[in-house]
């Protein structure tokens, strides 16, 4: 069936407008339409749960499904149409049971309060595609209204991804789930004003801070607080498994199951910061980091020789003739046609990684990509333990500015801007970073200031909460009454929906004058962008020289 798509949720939207025939990410139009159908069905389920929440009925089994479904539609997570179809059919079952539960608890409840999406059940894949085409990005809306709706939608997707990780580590917050249900209930009513949408967007930022704090608690309670760590970039002489994505419990279970298997485990991309946690240092076969950020994987995976495990985004679908195509494994929310999928946990048991371990044992050791080391582990607990040293450097003038360069990396050549910007920063500045944007400059020889490295890596994009915590603590230590009076400037790179929730979180915290690049989101209409510029002084990057002047870094 021929389908027409429209997607502009990521930074690489075609021509800065939107993908209409094939996603730049690699998803085809049919997959995009299936994802739109899944979102539509999830909205319907959320509407039912919204009313169950008001009756104090637990909804965790449904909430876990909603988080995973939303995560599947984040850029570069899932490219398997069957996986999305399976989720859609699962949503039908859950809507039936949730409706029955609602009517059992409140027999007087009028079903007329619920939208059509709460009752939608398809009997064929063709019906699903038709609904997906009808309920994607609605181009009939006023441009500004559509812009606000989609900004809210993408913020919720990003928040769901972080909540998904926390939930798998045993941490959840019903207020986060209730907010998601309320947002989707409001969006399905189609009667929100632009002012009401803007209010919800800022509340989404508040809930984003709450979610990131929850995930930080989940990580540190289980794995300890990140500590300053030197990570090897070289390889050993045994076969290995390369672990990509963000999911630390997947890594934990794989390390435990492979500790006597005669293989090594390497991190890739956003999994690098796992090395900073004390918990993982007991595994002697936890070898180091291999490669760079996600967009270079097609070249680098050819040289690894062993299997690759995707725990979350970012997947780049391999070329048909790729030598590593048969070495890819997916799990959790991820999916790729013809890749081996490792099923989710059941009955409190760990995932079974025996197949990928056996596969690795039959492979050759990885080829060396580079030599050297990366130093990281500067999450908020570690930075605050250095507070006296940092404060002394600030008071003496040795550190004049902190530059937040967190966020995402991507394929566009314009992103070389961030490497050049880091290189041309004056020697009395320190970079605060988290996320894969770090790969643009973390390997540069930028030196240190009185033993404080000039690049302080807090970890994954999941760890962006650390940057907020550091800023708030500095505000307190320096006795300031406004976070914007700190000697901190924000030059942030974005790519996908998790970056959207981080941005909304910063706006909720009152941070102003954020420069966002390499381009502004296509889903921001001119008027909505004007509101953000007037209220928060958001702007985009220009040239390195001009931006250094704007930030008073020359």
């Amino acid at each position: 069936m021929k389908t027409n798509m429209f997607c502009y949720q990521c930074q690489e939207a075609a021509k800065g407008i939107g993908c209409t025939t094939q996603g730049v990410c690699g998803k085809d139009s049919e997959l995009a339409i299936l994802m739109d159908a899944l979102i539509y069905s999830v909205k319907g389920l959320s509407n039912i749960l919204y009313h169950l929440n008001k009756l104090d009925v637990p909804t965790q089994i449904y909430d876990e499904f909603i988080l995973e479904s939303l995560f599947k539609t984040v850029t570069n997570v899932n490219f398997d149409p069957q996986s999305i179809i399976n989720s859609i059919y699962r949503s039908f079952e859950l809507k039936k049971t949730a409706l029955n539960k609602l009517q059992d608890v409140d027999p007087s409840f009028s079903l007329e309060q619920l939208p059509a999406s709460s009752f939608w059940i398809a009997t064929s894949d063709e019906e699903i595609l038709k609904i997906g085409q009808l309920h994607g990005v609605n181009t009939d809306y006023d441009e500004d209204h559509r812009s606000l709706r989609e900004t809210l939608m993408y913020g919720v997707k990003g928040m769901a991804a972080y909540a998904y990780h926390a939930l798998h580590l045993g941490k959840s917050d019903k207020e986060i789930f209730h907010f998601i249900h309320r947002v989707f209930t409001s969006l399905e009513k189609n009667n929100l004003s632009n002012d009401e949408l803007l209010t919800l967007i800022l509340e989404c930022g508040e809930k984003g801070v709450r979610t990131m704090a929850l995930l930080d608690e989940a990580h540190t309670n289980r794995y300890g607080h990140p500590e300053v760590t030197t990570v090897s970039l070289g390889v050993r002489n045994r076969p290995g498994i390369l672990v990509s994505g963000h999911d630390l419990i997947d890594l934990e279970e794989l390390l435990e199951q492979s500790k006597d298997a005669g293989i090594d485990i390497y991190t890739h991309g956003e999994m690098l910061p796992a090395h900073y946690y004390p918990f993982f240092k007991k595994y002697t076969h936890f070898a180091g980091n291999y490669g760079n950020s996600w967009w270079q994987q097609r070249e680098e995976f050819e040289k690894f020789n062993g299997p690759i495990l995707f725990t979350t985004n970012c997947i780049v679908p391999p070329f048909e003739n790729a030598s590593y195509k048969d070495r890819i494994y997916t799990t959790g929310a991820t999916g790729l046609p013809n890749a081996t999928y490792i099923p989710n946990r059941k009955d409190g048991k760990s995932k079974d990684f025996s197949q990928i371990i056996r596969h690795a044992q039959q492979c050759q050791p990885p080829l060396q990509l580079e030599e050297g080391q990366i130093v990281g582990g500067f999450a908020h607990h570690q930075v605050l333990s250095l507070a006296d040293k940092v404060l002394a450097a600030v008071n003496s003038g040795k550190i004049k500015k902190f530059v937040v360069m967190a966020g995402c990396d991507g394929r566009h050549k314009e992103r070389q801007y961030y490497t050049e910007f880091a290189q041309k920063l004056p020697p009395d500045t320190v970079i605060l970073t988290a996320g894969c944007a770090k790969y643009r400059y973390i390997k540069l020889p930028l030196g240190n200031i009185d033993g404080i490295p000039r690049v302080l890596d807090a970890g994954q994009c999941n760890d962006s909460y650390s940057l907020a915590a550091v800023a708030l603590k500095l505000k307190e230590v320096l006795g300031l009454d406004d976070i914007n009076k700190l000697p901190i400037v924000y030059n942030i790179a974005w790519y996908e929906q998790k970056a959207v929730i981080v941005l909304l979180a910063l706006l909720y915290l009152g941070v102003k004058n954020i420069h966002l690049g390499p381009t502004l989101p296509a889903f921001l209409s001119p008027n909505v962008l004007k509101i953000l510029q007037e209220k928060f002084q958001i702007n985009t990057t220009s040239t390195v020289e001009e931006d250094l002047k704007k930030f008073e870094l020359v």
Side-chain angles (χ1 to χ4, degrees), residues 79-95:
F79 293 88
D80 184 6
Q82 192 58 53
S83 172
I84 305 301
I85 289 170
N86 291 344
S87 292
I88 293 170
Y89 282 111
R90 174 65 175 152
S91 75
F92 299 157
E93 297 172 10
L94 292 174
K95 283 191 287 190

Side-chain angles (χ1 to χ4, degrees), residues 471-485:
L472 292 171
K473 187 63 178 180
L474 280 174
K475 172 174 168 279
E476 176 188 330
V477 169
L478 295 173
L480 301 174
D481 60 359
D482 184 347
I483 197 169
N484 294 294
K485 292 181 181 179

Side-chain angles (χ1 to χ4, degrees), residues 280-536:
F280 293 110
K281 295 180 180 180
K282 65 186 178 184
Y283 294 104
T284 57
H285 67 306
F286 194 26
N289 193 69
Y290 191 88
N292 295 280
S293 67
W294 62 273
W295 61 275
Q296 294 172 276
Q297 64 187 250
R298 280 176 170 163
E299 177 184 351
E300 294 176 346
F301 287 0
E302 292 281 355
K303 300 174 182 177
F304 185 73
N305 290 332
I308 299 107
L309 173 65
F310 281 107
T311 63
T312 65
N313 56 313
C314 292
I315 298 174
V316 179
F319 293 126
E320 277 299 314
N321 61 349
S323 69
Y324 66 90
K325 190 171 64 171
D326 296 331
R327 293 189 271 116
I328 295 177
Y329 290 73
T330 61
T331 192
T334 64
L336 192 66
N338 302 317
T340 302
Y341 183 79
I342 296 173
N344 287 330
R345 299 168 190 88
K346 287 184 179 180
D347 304 321
K349 296 180 181 178
S350 298
K351 291 182 181 178
D352 182 1
F353 290 102
S354 58
Q355 185 176 359
I356 191 172
I357 292 169
R358 288 195 300 270
H359 189 160
Q361 291 170 329
Q362 306 304 313
C363 295
Q364 293 296 311
L367 298 177
Q368 182 99 337
L369 282 179
E370 58 188 327
E371 297 179 345
Q373 300 169 327
I374 286 178
V375 177
F378 295 94
H380 60 94
H381 185 268
Q382 182 67 64
V383 173
L384 297 183
S385 71
L386 300 172
D388 291 343
K389 195 171 185 179
V390 172
L391 187 60
V394 171
N395 288 335
S396 68
K398 291 182 178 180
I399 296 178
K400 290 186 178 176
K401 284 277 179 74
F402 295 92
V403 184
V404 175
M405 292 180 67
C408 314
D409 198 10
R411 286 171 280 224
H412 283 180
K413 292 181 180 179
E414 291 86 348
R415 288 180 182 266
Q416 182 63 23
Y417 160 95
Y418 294 101
T419 303
E420 186 181 343
F421 188 89
Q423 289 173 320
K424 292 188 176 180
L425 284 171
D428 54 11
T429 56
V430 171
I431 295 171
L432 303 176
T433 191
C436 61
K438 70 168 77 52
Y439 283 102
R440 289 286 172 174
Y441 44 79
I442 197 169
K443 298 176 185 179
L444 297 175
L446 297 179
N448 63 79
I449 300 172
D450 283 355
I452 302 168
R454 289 193 55 228
V455 178
L456 301 182
D457 177 27
Q460 301 177 344
C461 62
N462 294 11
D463 301 310
S464 296
Y465 172 77
S466 275
L467 303 182
V470 167
L472 292 171
K473 187 63 178 180
L474 280 174
K475 172 174 168 279
E476 176 188 330
V477 169
L478 295 173
L480 301 174
D481 60 359
D482 184 347
I483 197 169
N484 294 294
K485 292 181 181 179
L486 284 167
I488 298 178
V489 296
Y490 296 83
N491 195 3
I492 297 175
W494 83 286
Y495 181 74
E496 38 89 297
Q497 298 79 67
K498 289 188 289 180
V500 174
I501 191 59
V502 172
L503 174 63
L504 297 184
L506 290 173
L507 299 186
Y508 164 73
L509 292 172
V511 176
K512 296 182 178 179
N513 198 31
I514 296 171
H515 277 54
L516 194 63
T519 58
L520 290 172
F523 53 81
L524 292 181
S525 69
N527 286 333
V528 169
L529 177 58
K530 185 178 179 182
I531 291 171
L532 294 177
Q533 288 175 327
E534 290 176 351
K535 191 174 180 66
F536 299 104

